Each structure stands twice: as C-alpha cells, then as structure tokens.
Amino acid sequence: MATPCDALIRHVLRDEALTRGLGDIEARMLVEWLADWTELLADASRTEDDAWSCVNRLCRRGRAIGRFVQLWADPFDRGAAIQLAASERFDWPLPCSDMDPGDLMHHILTWENQHPGA
C-alpha cells in the first residue's frame, strides 16, 4: 500500500541540516535526489511507519553525504572527510584529487542511484 508522500517531502524540504554549509548547486542536487527517493520509498512502503523510517534513514545518509562534500572541498579537511566516509561506510570510490563540489555531489549521487542499498 503506497503511503501519501506530501508530509514526507515536506519533512525533507524543511530539514535545514541537509543543506547547511553546501553551495546552492550541491544543495539543490541533494534535495532533488532526496525528494525523488522519498517518492519512491513512499510508493514502495507497506505502512506509513515504514515509509517514515526509510525516509529518516535516507535523510541521515543525505546529511552525511552533504557533510562529506563540504569537508572534501577544503584540502585541510580531507582527513576528516575520509574518516566520515569510513564511519558512514560509504561504498562509493573516494575522489583522487581536487574536485568541484558540484561535480563531486553529482558523482556521489549518481553512484548512490546505481547502487541502492549498498
């Protein structure tokens, strides 16, 4: 049974921690990605509680991805970015060098879409 996703989407859009410290481009990409996945999770959920649980986990992952992108943008914070990636068990390949934050966000979210649940 699909769960109505309006409240879930509003929850994602109101979570300022998702975009804190990100540039406009990265923030927009992350919010759009989260909104798309929220709709999919709402459609696939069996109960409303199940949908909320999945969306809350998704938002936590989104906050961690945003923080990683923010940390990687500063060469002095790359060690912290790597520690975050390890503690969050991110499976995507780490960047090899400097990368534009927008490009990095795009690469991460593309990988996440291609490897859901990884």
Side-chain angles (χ1 to χ4, degrees), residues 1 6-7 9 14-15 20 23 25 34 48 61 90 96 104 118:
M1 176 172 133
D6 291 346
I9 296 282
R14 290 180 179 161
D15 189 347
R20 188 175 298 130
I25 294 169
L34 288 164
E48 189 170 344
R61 188 159 185 93
F90 290 146
C96 302
L104 178 57

Side-chain angles (χ1 to χ4, degrees), residues 28-110:
R28 179 187 51 79
M29 281 192 279
L30 183 60
V31 168
E32 287 176 0
W33 179 77
L34 288 164
D36 289 345
W37 274 102
T38 297
E39 289 177 0
L40 291 171
L41 292 169
D43 287 343
S45 65
R46 294 181 207 171
T47 66
E48 189 170 344
D49 287 342
D50 185 37
W52 278 102
S53 176
C54 290
V55 169
N56 285 328
R57 281 194 311 272
L58 179 69
C59 286
R60 183 183 187 288
R61 188 159 185 93
R63 284 189 295 274
I65 289 169
R67 184 68 177 138
F68 176 85
V69 170
Q70 182 185 10
L71 289 169
W72 192 266
D74 183 350
F76 295 108
D77 287 336
R78 297 242 168 102
I82 292 168
Q83 285 180 331
L84 175 64
S87 68
E88 292 293 330
R89 297 183 180 165
F90 290 146
D91 291 330
W92 28 265
L94 294 174
C96 302
S97 61
D98 289 347
M99 201 170 189
D100 176 75
D103 291 340
L104 178 57
M105 182 68 78
H106 175 75
H107 286 289
I108 292 169
L109 298 180
T110 299

